Structures are given as structure tokens and as C-alpha cells.
Amino acid sequence: QVQLVESGGGLVQPGGSLRLSCVASGSIFGINNARWYRQAPGKQRELVATISSVGTTTYVDSVKGRFTISRDSPKKTVYLQMNRLKPEDTAVYLCNADVTRRDYRWDTYWGQGTQVTVSS
């Protein structure tokens, strides 16, 4: 069974930093394209950042210059480095990734989410 597990969330003051991790496990070859989403209470889920299998990245305008998405393919891990955090970044952050299984098929999976709270 394929799992995506996020970690690294927590409570941080405005201006602080956090690094989120998303690790894929199971009978898999690895992660292809991956994305970080976030969902704040009462708001729609928002696509924050994407990374392709070859490392091409995109960001929503509100996080450009502050967040960096990266990957460590041998570790089957995707990261989201978040700097200069603002209260409006408060949300549950979810990892979403296309994973190739060892049966040579791929599917898109979601992690369970990790809470990020930016508050003084």
C-alpha cells in the first residue's frame, strides 16, 4: 500500500521558518510530479507549489520568493521550505504526488496533512 506522510508542521512566529517533508513509502519506484496544497479553515484548497520529475518548479504568487519546493528522489521525499512566514500562511499543508508503483502503474496520492500555524 502506498503512503505519503507529511511532517514538519507546527507553531511559528511571523517571520519564522519551517521545513515540511513528504515521504512516500510502499512497494514503489518513486515520486514523479509532486505538489503541496494548503487549506485554511473556511477556504478552498489552494495549490501552493509544484515540482516535476526533472525538478521544474512553480509557485502561487503569494509565496514566491519565500517558499522553495525541492525533492530528494533516492529518499522518495519532497520538501517545502517556508521562510518569512506570515499569519495568512496558516493552514493544513497537504502533499500530493504521482507515484509509480512496482507494478509499473502510477496513481496520484494524498498525504494526511500537517498543520502550520503562524502566530505571535
Side-chain angles (χ1 to χ4, degrees), residues 16-82:
S17 298
L18 286 173
R19 188 175 82 153
L20 306 183
S21 299
C22 171
V23 182
S25 65
S27 184
I28 63 174
F29 285 116
I31 296 174
N32 303 322
N33 300 322
R35 306 146 202 96
W36 284 98
Y37 286 82
R38 65 186 178 188
Q39 187 156 23
K43 293 188 177 181
Q44 284 192 323
R45 188 169 292 183
E46 177 184 42
L47 177 61
V48 175
T50 71
I51 187 165
S52 74
S53 57
V54 296
T56 303
T57 59
T58 67
Y59 300 93
V60 68
D61 283 348
S62 60
V63 308
K64 283 181 180 176
R66 300 189 298 123
F67 290 11
T68 303
I69 188 171
S70 61
R71 62 190 299 146
D72 185 332
S73 294
K75 292 185 178 180
K76 302 180 178 64
T77 301
V78 176
Y79 303 99
L80 186 67
Q81 177 68 44
M82 306 186 295

Short mmCIF file of all heavy atoms in Angstrom, two decimals, residues 16-82:
data_model
loop_
_atom_site.label_atom_id
_atom_site.label_comp_id
_atom_site.label_asym_id
_atom_site.label_seq_id
_atom_site.Cartn_x
_atom_site.Cartn_y
_atom_site.Cartn_z
N GLY A 16 9.20 33.66 10.84
CA GLY A 16 9.95 32.43 11.08
C GLY A 16 9.94 31.50 9.89
O GLY A 16 9.39 31.81 8.82
N SER A 17 10.54 30.33 10.10
CA SER A 17 10.69 29.35 9.02
C SER A 17 10.28 27.96 9.49
O SER A 17 10.38 27.64 10.68
CB SER A 17 12.15 29.28 8.56
OG SER A 17 12.59 30.50 8.03
N LEU A 18 9.83 27.16 8.55
CA LEU A 18 9.56 25.75 8.76
C LEU A 18 9.94 25.00 7.49
O LEU A 18 9.87 25.55 6.40
CB LEU A 18 8.08 25.49 9.06
CG LEU A 18 7.53 25.86 10.42
CD1 LEU A 18 6.00 25.68 10.44
CD2 LEU A 18 8.15 25.03 11.52
N ARG A 19 10.31 23.73 7.66
CA ARG A 19 10.53 22.88 6.50
C ARG A 19 9.61 21.67 6.61
O ARG A 19 9.72 20.89 7.56
CB ARG A 19 11.97 22.43 6.36
CG ARG A 19 12.21 21.69 5.04
CD ARG A 19 13.66 21.31 4.80
NE ARG A 19 14.02 20.09 5.48
CZ ARG A 19 15.01 19.29 5.06
NH1 ARG A 19 15.70 19.59 3.97
NH2 ARG A 19 15.31 18.20 5.74
N LEU A 20 8.74 21.52 5.64
CA LEU A 20 7.84 20.37 5.58
C LEU A 20 8.48 19.27 4.74
O LEU A 20 9.17 19.55 3.76
CB LEU A 20 6.50 20.76 4.96
CG LEU A 20 5.78 21.94 5.59
CD1 LEU A 20 4.41 22.14 4.90
CD2 LEU A 20 5.61 21.77 7.08
N SER A 21 8.22 18.03 5.14
CA SER A 21 8.69 16.86 4.39
C SER A 21 7.51 15.99 4.03
O SER A 21 6.54 15.90 4.79
CB SER A 21 9.68 16.04 5.23
OG SER A 21 10.82 16.80 5.59
N CYS A 22 7.63 15.32 2.89
CA CYS A 22 6.60 14.38 2.43
C CYS A 22 7.36 13.14 1.94
O CYS A 22 8.08 13.21 0.95
CB CYS A 22 5.78 14.99 1.32
SG CYS A 22 4.66 13.85 0.49
N VAL A 23 7.19 12.04 2.66
CA VAL A 23 7.90 10.81 2.35
C VAL A 23 6.93 9.78 1.79
O VAL A 23 5.88 9.52 2.40
CB VAL A 23 8.59 10.24 3.60
CG1 VAL A 23 9.36 8.97 3.24
CG2 VAL A 23 9.53 11.26 4.21
N ALA A 24 7.30 9.21 0.66
CA ALA A 24 6.49 8.16 0.05
C ALA A 24 7.04 6.80 0.45
O ALA A 24 8.26 6.59 0.49
CB ALA A 24 6.50 8.29 -1.46
N SER A 25 6.13 5.88 0.76
CA SER A 25 6.55 4.54 1.15
C SER A 25 5.61 3.52 0.54
O SER A 25 4.52 3.84 0.08
CB SER A 25 6.59 4.42 2.66
OG SER A 25 5.29 4.56 3.20
N GLY A 26 6.05 2.28 0.58
CA GLY A 26 5.28 1.19 -0.01
C GLY A 26 6.07 0.53 -1.11
O GLY A 26 7.26 0.78 -1.29
N SER A 27 5.39 -0.31 -1.86
CA SER A 27 6.03 -1.01 -2.96
C SER A 27 6.06 -0.09 -4.18
O SER A 27 5.23 -0.18 -5.09
CB SER A 27 5.25 -2.29 -3.28
OG SER A 27 5.92 -3.04 -4.28
N ILE A 28 7.02 0.81 -4.20
CA ILE A 28 7.06 1.86 -5.21
C ILE A 28 8.46 2.02 -5.77
O ILE A 28 9.46 1.64 -5.13
CB ILE A 28 6.60 3.22 -4.64
CG1 ILE A 28 7.54 3.69 -3.52
CG2 ILE A 28 5.17 3.12 -4.12
CD1 ILE A 28 7.22 5.08 -3.01
N PHE A 29 8.51 2.60 -6.97
CA PHE A 29 9.79 3.01 -7.52
C PHE A 29 10.14 4.42 -7.06
O PHE A 29 11.29 4.70 -6.74
CB PHE A 29 9.76 2.96 -9.06
CG PHE A 29 9.81 1.57 -9.62
CD1 PHE A 29 8.75 1.05 -10.35
CD2 PHE A 29 10.92 0.78 -9.42
CE1 PHE A 29 8.80 -0.24 -10.87
CE2 PHE A 29 10.99 -0.51 -9.93
CZ PHE A 29 9.93 -1.01 -10.65
N GLY A 30 9.14 5.31 -7.03
CA GLY A 30 9.42 6.66 -6.58
C GLY A 30 8.34 7.64 -6.96
O GLY A 30 7.27 7.27 -7.46
N ILE A 31 8.65 8.90 -6.68
CA ILE A 31 7.72 10.01 -6.92
C ILE A 31 8.02 10.64 -8.27
O ILE A 31 9.19 10.89 -8.60
CB ILE A 31 7.85 11.07 -5.82
CG1 ILE A 31 7.43 10.48 -4.46
CG2 ILE A 31 7.01 12.30 -6.15
CD1 ILE A 31 7.67 11.43 -3.29
N ASN A 32 6.99 10.92 -9.05
CA ASN A 32 7.15 11.66 -10.30
C ASN A 32 6.88 13.13 -10.01
O ASN A 32 7.65 13.78 -9.32
CB ASN A 32 6.25 11.08 -11.37
CG ASN A 32 6.52 9.61 -11.59
OD1 ASN A 32 7.66 9.15 -11.55
ND2 ASN A 32 5.47 8.83 -11.79
N ASN A 33 5.80 13.66 -10.51
CA ASN A 33 5.44 15.04 -10.20
C ASN A 33 4.84 15.10 -8.80
O ASN A 33 4.17 14.16 -8.35
CB ASN A 33 4.41 15.56 -11.20
CG ASN A 33 4.92 15.52 -12.62
OD1 ASN A 33 6.09 15.79 -12.88
ND2 ASN A 33 4.04 15.16 -13.55
N ALA A 34 5.06 16.21 -8.11
CA ALA A 34 4.53 16.37 -6.76
C ALA A 34 4.08 17.80 -6.53
O ALA A 34 4.54 18.72 -7.21
CB ALA A 34 5.58 15.97 -5.73
N ARG A 35 3.19 17.94 -5.55
CA ARG A 35 2.61 19.24 -5.27
C ARG A 35 2.39 19.40 -3.78
O ARG A 35 2.17 18.42 -3.08
CB ARG A 35 1.24 19.39 -5.98
CG ARG A 35 1.31 19.11 -7.47
CD ARG A 35 0.03 18.45 -7.96
NE ARG A 35 0.26 17.72 -9.18
CZ ARG A 35 0.51 16.40 -9.24
NH1 ARG A 35 0.53 15.68 -8.13
NH2 ARG A 35 0.72 15.82 -10.41
N TRP A 36 2.46 20.63 -3.33
CA TRP A 36 2.00 20.97 -1.99
C TRP A 36 0.76 21.85 -2.13
O TRP A 36 0.77 22.82 -2.88
CB TRP A 36 3.06 21.73 -1.21
CG TRP A 36 4.17 20.88 -0.70
CD1 TRP A 36 5.40 20.68 -1.26
CD2 TRP A 36 4.15 20.10 0.50
NE1 TRP A 36 6.14 19.84 -0.50
CE2 TRP A 36 5.41 19.47 0.60
CE3 TRP A 36 3.21 19.89 1.51
CZ2 TRP A 36 5.73 18.62 1.66
CZ3 TRP A 36 3.53 19.05 2.55
CH2 TRP A 36 4.79 18.43 2.62
N TYR A 37 -0.29 21.48 -1.41
CA TYR A 37 -1.51 22.26 -1.30
C TYR A 37 -1.63 22.75 0.14
O TYR A 37 -0.97 22.24 1.05
CB TYR A 37 -2.74 21.40 -1.61
CG TYR A 37 -2.95 21.07 -3.06
CD1 TYR A 37 -2.26 20.02 -3.67
CD2 TYR A 37 -3.88 21.77 -3.84
CE1 TYR A 37 -2.48 19.70 -5.01
CE2 TYR A 37 -4.11 21.45 -5.17
CZ TYR A 37 -3.41 20.41 -5.73
OH TYR A 37 -3.63 20.09 -7.06
N ARG A 38 -2.50 23.71 0.34
CA ARG A 38 -2.85 24.11 1.70
C ARG A 38 -4.33 24.43 1.76
O ARG A 38 -4.94 24.83 0.76
CB ARG A 38 -2.03 25.29 2.18
CG ARG A 38 -2.24 26.59 1.44
CD ARG A 38 -1.26 27.66 1.93
NE ARG A 38 -1.40 28.92 1.21
CZ ARG A 38 -0.56 29.95 1.36
NH1 ARG A 38 0.47 29.86 2.21
NH2 ARG A 38 -0.75 31.05 0.67
N GLN A 39 -4.89 24.22 2.95
CA GLN A 39 -6.30 24.52 3.16
C GLN A 39 -6.47 25.18 4.51
O GLN A 39 -6.16 24.57 5.55
CB GLN A 39 -7.15 23.27 3.07
CG GLN A 39 -8.64 23.57 3.12
CD GLN A 39 -9.48 22.50 2.47
OE1 GLN A 39 -9.07 21.35 2.33
NE2 GLN A 39 -10.68 22.88 2.04
N ALA A 40 -6.95 26.41 4.48
CA ALA A 40 -7.23 27.15 5.70
C ALA A 40 -8.71 26.99 6.02
O ALA A 40 -9.53 26.74 5.13
CB ALA A 40 -6.88 28.62 5.50
N PRO A 41 -9.07 27.15 7.30
CA PRO A 41 -10.48 27.00 7.68
C PRO A 41 -11.39 27.93 6.88
O PRO A 41 -11.11 29.12 6.76
CB PRO A 41 -10.47 27.37 9.16
CG PRO A 41 -9.09 27.08 9.62
CD PRO A 41 -8.21 27.40 8.45
N GLY A 42 -12.45 27.38 6.32
CA GLY A 42 -13.41 28.17 5.58
C GLY A 42 -12.97 28.60 4.20
O GLY A 42 -13.67 29.36 3.54
N LYS A 43 -11.81 28.10 3.76
CA LYS A 43 -11.31 28.49 2.44
C LYS A 43 -11.13 27.26 1.56
O LYS A 43 -11.02 26.15 2.05
CB LYS A 43 -9.98 29.23 2.57
CG LYS A 43 -10.09 30.58 3.25
CD LYS A 43 -8.78 31.33 3.16
CE LYS A 43 -8.90 32.72 3.77
NZ LYS A 43 -7.63 33.48 3.67
N GLN A 44 -11.08 27.51 0.26
CA GLN A 44 -10.84 26.42 -0.69
C GLN A 44 -9.39 25.96 -0.62
O GLN A 44 -8.49 26.73 -0.25
CB GLN A 44 -11.16 26.90 -2.11
CG GLN A 44 -12.64 26.99 -2.41
CD GLN A 44 -12.90 27.18 -3.91
OE1 GLN A 44 -12.16 27.87 -4.60
NE2 GLN A 44 -13.95 26.55 -4.40
N ARG A 45 -9.19 24.70 -0.97
CA ARG A 45 -7.84 24.18 -1.04
C ARG A 45 -7.08 24.92 -2.13
O ARG A 45 -7.60 25.15 -3.22
CB ARG A 45 -7.88 22.68 -1.34
CG ARG A 45 -6.55 21.99 -1.25
CD ARG A 45 -6.73 20.48 -1.29
NE ARG A 45 -7.39 19.99 -0.08
CZ ARG A 45 -7.61 18.72 0.17
NH1 ARG A 45 -7.23 17.79 -0.71
NH2 ARG A 45 -8.21 18.34 1.28
N GLU A 46 -5.84 25.28 -1.83
CA GLU A 46 -5.03 26.11 -2.72
C GLU A 46 -3.75 25.38 -3.09
O GLU A 46 -3.05 24.84 -2.22
CB GLU A 46 -4.70 27.44 -2.02
CG GLU A 46 -3.81 28.35 -2.83
CD GLU A 46 -3.43 29.61 -2.07
OE1 GLU A 46 -3.12 29.51 -0.86
OE2 GLU A 46 -3.41 30.69 -2.69
N LEU A 47 -3.43 25.37 -4.38
CA LEU A 47 -2.17 24.81 -4.84
C LEU A 47 -1.05 25.81 -4.55
O LEU A 47 -1.10 26.94 -5.03
CB LEU A 47 -2.24 24.50 -6.34
CG LEU A 47 -0.97 23.96 -6.99
CD1 LEU A 47 -0.55 22.65 -6.36
CD2 LEU A 47 -1.18 23.79 -8.49
N VAL A 48 -0.07 25.38 -3.78
CA VAL A 48 0.99 26.28 -3.33
C VAL A 48 2.22 26.18 -4.23
O VAL A 48 2.80 27.19 -4.63
CB VAL A 48 1.37 25.97 -1.87
CG1 VAL A 48 2.55 26.81 -1.42
CG2 VAL A 48 0.17 26.18 -0.96
N ALA A 49 2.66 24.94 -4.50
CA ALA A 49 3.89 24.75 -5.25
C ALA A 49 3.86 23.39 -5.93
O ALA A 49 3.23 22.46 -5.43
CB ALA A 49 5.11 24.84 -4.33
N THR A 50 4.57 23.31 -7.06
CA THR A 50 4.68 22.04 -7.78
C THR A 50 6.14 21.80 -8.14
O THR A 50 6.92 22.75 -8.28
CB THR A 50 3.85 22.03 -9.07
OG1 THR A 50 4.46 22.89 -10.04
CG2 THR A 50 2.42 22.49 -8.83
N ILE A 51 6.48 20.52 -8.30
CA ILE A 51 7.80 20.16 -8.79
C ILE A 51 7.65 18.97 -9.72
O ILE A 51 6.94 18.01 -9.40
CB ILE A 51 8.79 19.87 -7.64
CG1 ILE A 51 10.20 19.66 -8.17
CG2 ILE A 51 8.33 18.69 -6.79
CD1 ILE A 51 11.28 19.73 -7.09
N SER A 52 8.30 19.06 -10.87
CA SER A 52 8.19 17.98 -11.84
C SER A 52 9.24 16.90 -11.54
O SER A 52 10.10 17.07 -10.67
CB SER A 52 8.40 18.52 -13.25
OG SER A 52 9.77 18.81 -13.46
N SER A 53 9.16 15.83 -12.32
CA SER A 53 10.11 14.74 -12.13
C SER A 53 11.54 15.17 -12.43
O SER A 53 12.49 14.54 -11.94
CB SER A 53 9.72 13.56 -13.01
OG SER A 53 9.67 13.96 -14.37
N VAL A 54 11.71 16.24 -13.21
CA VAL A 54 13.06 16.72 -13.53
C VAL A 54 13.42 17.98 -12.76
O VAL A 54 14.44 18.59 -13.01
CB VAL A 54 13.22 16.97 -15.05
CG1 VAL A 54 13.08 15.67 -15.81
CG2 VAL A 54 12.23 18.02 -15.54
N GLY A 55 12.56 18.35 -11.81
CA GLY A 55 12.91 19.45 -10.92
C GLY A 55 12.38 20.82 -11.29
O GLY A 55 12.71 21.80 -10.63
N THR A 56 11.56 20.91 -12.31
CA THR A 56 10.95 22.19 -12.66
C THR A 56 9.92 22.56 -11.60
O THR A 56 9.11 21.72 -11.20
CB THR A 56 10.27 22.11 -14.03
OG1 THR A 56 11.24 21.70 -15.00
CG2 THR A 56 9.70 23.46 -14.42
N THR A 57 9.97 23.80 -11.15
CA THR A 57 9.10 24.23 -10.05
C THR A 57 8.17 25.37 -10.46
O THR A 57 8.50 26.17 -11.34
CB THR A 57 9.92 24.68 -8.85
OG1 THR A 57 10.76 25.77 -9.23
CG2 THR A 57 10.79 23.55 -8.33
N THR A 58 7.02 25.44 -9.80
CA THR A 58 6.10 26.57 -9.94
C THR A 58 5.58 26.92 -8.56
O THR A 58 5.53 26.07 -7.67
CB THR A 58 4.92 26.27 -10.88
OG1 THR A 58 4.09 25.27 -10.28
CG2 THR A 58 5.39 25.79 -12.24
N TYR A 59 5.13 28.18 -8.40
CA TYR A 59 4.63 28.65 -7.11
C TYR A 59 3.43 29.56 -7.33
O TYR A 59 3.35 30.30 -8.32
CB TYR A 59 5.71 29.45 -6.38
CG TYR A 59 6.96 28.66 -6.10
CD1 TYR A 59 8.03 28.67 -6.98
CD2 TYR A 59 7.07 27.88 -4.94
CE1 TYR A 59 9.17 27.94 -6.74
CE2 TYR A 59 8.21 27.15 -4.68
CZ TYR A 59 9.25 27.19 -5.59
OH TYR A 59 10.38 26.45 -5.34
N VAL A 60 2.52 29.55 -6.36
CA VAL A 60 1.47 30.55 -6.35
C VAL A 60 2.11 31.89 -6.01
O VAL A 60 3.12 31.95 -5.30
CB VAL A 60 0.38 30.15 -5.32
CG1 VAL A 60 0.90 30.22 -3.90
CG2 VAL A 60 -0.85 30.99 -5.50
N ASP A 61 1.56 32.96 -6.53
CA ASP A 61 2.19 34.28 -6.39
C ASP A 61 2.44 34.67 -4.93
O ASP A 61 3.43 35.30 -4.59
CB ASP A 61 1.33 35.36 -7.06
CG ASP A 61 1.46 35.34 -8.58
OD1 ASP A 61 2.36 34.67 -9.09
OD2 ASP A 61 0.63 36.00 -9.23
N SER A 62 1.52 34.29 -4.05
CA SER A 62 1.61 34.72 -2.66
C SER A 62 2.79 34.14 -1.91
O SER A 62 3.13 34.64 -0.83
CB SER A 62 0.31 34.38 -1.93
OG SER A 62 0.08 32.99 -1.96
N VAL A 63 3.44 33.10 -2.44
CA VAL A 63 4.59 32.51 -1.74
C VAL A 63 5.89 32.64 -2.51
O VAL A 63 6.95 32.23 -2.01
CB VAL A 63 4.33 31.02 -1.41
CG1 VAL A 63 3.00 30.85 -0.69
CG2 VAL A 63 4.41 30.14 -2.64
N LYS A 64 5.84 33.21 -3.70
CA LYS A 64 7.06 33.36 -4.50
C LYS A 64 8.10 34.17 -3.74
O LYS A 64 7.80 35.21 -3.17
CB LYS A 64 6.73 34.02 -5.83
CG LYS A 64 6.09 33.10 -6.84
CD LYS A 64 5.81 33.81 -8.16
CE LYS A 64 5.15 32.87 -9.16
NZ LYS A 64 4.78 33.57 -10.41
N GLY A 65 9.32 33.66 -3.74
CA GLY A 65 10.41 34.34 -3.04
C GLY A 65 10.51 33.97 -1.57
O GLY A 65 11.48 34.35 -0.90
N ARG A 66 9.51 33.27 -1.05
CA ARG A 66 9.53 32.86 0.37
C ARG A 66 9.58 31.35 0.54
O ARG A 66 10.19 30.86 1.48
CB ARG A 66 8.28 33.41 1.09
CG ARG A 66 8.16 34.91 1.06
CD ARG A 66 7.02 35.39 1.98
NE ARG A 66 5.72 34.89 1.56
CZ ARG A 66 4.91 34.16 2.33
NH1 ARG A 66 5.27 33.83 3.57
NH2 ARG A 66 3.72 33.76 1.87
N PHE A 67 8.90 30.62 -0.34
CA PHE A 67 8.82 29.16 -0.25
C PHE A 67 9.67 28.53 -1.35
O PHE A 67 9.77 29.06 -2.46
CB PHE A 67 7.39 28.67 -0.42
CG PHE A 67 6.46 29.00 0.71
CD1 PHE A 67 6.80 29.87 1.73
CD2 PHE A 67 5.21 28.39 0.78
CE1 PHE A 67 5.93 30.16 2.77
CE2 PHE A 67 4.33 28.66 1.81
CZ PHE A 67 4.69 29.56 2.80
N THR A 68 10.25 27.38 -1.04
CA THR A 68 11.01 26.62 -2.02
C THR A 68 10.62 25.15 -1.94
O THR A 68 10.72 24.54 -0.87
CB THR A 68 12.52 26.75 -1.79
OG1 THR A 68 12.90 28.14 -1.82
CG2 THR A 68 13.29 26.00 -2.86
N ILE A 69 10.18 24.60 -3.07
CA ILE A 69 9.88 23.17 -3.14
C ILE A 69 11.10 22.46 -3.72
O ILE A 69 11.76 22.98 -4.64
CB ILE A 69 8.60 22.90 -3.99
CG1 ILE A 69 8.18 21.45 -3.91
CG2 ILE A 69 8.78 23.36 -5.43
CD1 ILE A 69 6.82 21.15 -4.53
N SER A 70 11.43 21.30 -3.17
CA SER A 70 12.56 20.54 -3.66
C SER A 70 12.28 19.06 -3.47
O SER A 70 11.27 18.67 -2.86
CB SER A 70 13.85 20.94 -2.93
OG SER A 70 13.74 20.68 -1.54
N ARG A 71 13.20 18.24 -3.99
CA ARG A 71 12.99 16.80 -3.88
C ARG A 71 14.32 16.09 -3.68
O ARG A 71 15.37 16.59 -4.09
CB ARG A 71 12.30 16.28 -5.15
CG ARG A 71 13.11 16.47 -6.42
CD ARG A 71 12.27 16.16 -7.66
NE ARG A 71 11.84 14.76 -7.62
CZ ARG A 71 10.66 14.36 -8.10
NH1 ARG A 71 9.81 15.21 -8.62
NH2 ARG A 71 10.33 13.09 -8.04
N ASP A 72 14.24 14.95 -3.03
CA ASP A 72 15.37 14.03 -2.91
C ASP A 72 14.85 12.69 -3.43
O ASP A 72 14.22 11.94 -2.69
CB ASP A 72 15.83 13.94 -1.46
CG ASP A 72 17.08 13.10 -1.30
OD1 ASP A 72 17.32 12.19 -2.12
OD2 ASP A 72 17.82 13.34 -0.32
N SER A 73 15.10 12.45 -4.71
CA SER A 73 14.48 11.28 -5.33
C SER A 73 14.90 9.96 -4.70
O SER A 73 14.05 9.09 -4.47
CB SER A 73 14.77 11.28 -6.84
OG SER A 73 14.13 12.39 -7.45
N PRO A 74 16.21 9.73 -4.40
CA PRO A 74 16.57 8.46 -3.76
C PRO A 74 15.87 8.23 -2.43
O PRO A 74 15.59 7.09 -2.06
CB PRO A 74 18.08 8.59 -3.57
CG PRO A 74 18.52 9.54 -4.62
CD PRO A 74 17.40 10.53 -4.72
N LYS A 75 15.57 9.32 -1.72
CA LYS A 75 14.87 9.21 -0.44
C LYS A 75 13.35 9.22 -0.60
O LYS A 75 12.63 9.15 0.38
CB LYS A 75 15.29 10.33 0.50
CG LYS A 75 16.73 10.25 0.97
CD LYS A 75 17.04 11.33 1.99
CE LYS A 75 18.47 11.21 2.48
NZ LYS A 75 18.81 12.26 3.49
N LYS A 76 12.88 9.36 -1.85
CA LYS A 76 11.44 9.38 -2.13
C LYS A 76 10.75 10.45 -1.27
O LYS A 76 9.70 10.22 -0.65
CB LYS A 76 10.80 8.01 -1.90
CG LYS A 76 11.41 6.90 -2.74
CD LYS A 76 10.74 5.57 -2.46
CE LYS A 76 11.31 4.46 -3.33
NZ LYS A 76 12.72 4.16 -3.06
N THR A 77 11.37 11.62 -1.23
CA THR A 77 10.92 12.69 -0.36
C THR A 77 10.82 14.01 -1.13
O THR A 77 11.68 14.30 -1.97
CB THR A 77 11.88 12.87 0.83
OG1 THR A 77 11.96 11.64 1.55
CG2 THR A 77 11.41 13.97 1.77
N VAL A 78 9.78 14.76 -0.82
CA VAL A 78 9.60 16.11 -1.35
C VAL A 78 9.54 17.06 -0.15
O VAL A 78 8.95 16.73 0.88
CB VAL A 78 8.31 16.22 -2.18
CG1 VAL A 78 8.08 17.65 -2.65
CG2 VAL A 78 8.37 15.27 -3.37
N TYR A 79 10.16 18.22 -0.30
CA TYR A 79 10.23 19.19 0.79
C TYR A 79 9.54 20.49 0.39
O TYR A 79 9.40 20.82 -0.78
CB TYR A 79 11.69 19.51 1.12
CG TYR A 79 12.52 18.32 1.50
CD1 TYR A 79 13.36 17.72 0.57
CD2 TYR A 79 12.48 17.80 2.79
CE1 TYR A 79 14.13 16.63 0.90
CE2 TYR A 79 13.25 16.69 3.14
CZ TYR A 79 14.08 16.12 2.19
OH TYR A 79 14.83 15.03 2.53
N LEU A 80 9.13 21.24 1.41
CA LEU A 80 8.67 22.60 1.22
C LEU A 80 9.34 23.45 2.29
O LEU A 80 8.97 23.36 3.47
CB LEU A 80 7.16 22.72 1.29
CG LEU A 80 6.61 24.11 0.95
CD1 LEU A 80 6.85 24.43 -0.54
CD2 LEU A 80 5.12 24.22 1.27
N GLN A 81 10.34 24.23 1.89
CA GLN A 81 10.99 25.16 2.80
C GLN A 81 10.20 26.46 2.80
O GLN A 81 10.00 27.06 1.74
CB GLN A 81 12.43 25.43 2.35
CG GLN A 81 13.17 26.44 3.20
CD GLN A 81 13.44 25.94 4.61
OE1 GLN A 81 13.84 24.80 4.80
NE2 GLN A 81 13.20 26.80 5.60
N MET A 82 9.75 26.86 3.96
CA MET A 82 8.90 28.05 4.08
C MET A 82 9.61 29.07 4.95
O MET A 82 9.86 28.81 6.14
CB MET A 82 7.54 27.68 4.69
CG MET A 82 6.83 26.56 3.95
SD MET A 82 5.17 26.24 4.56
CE MET A 82 5.55 25.66 6.21
#
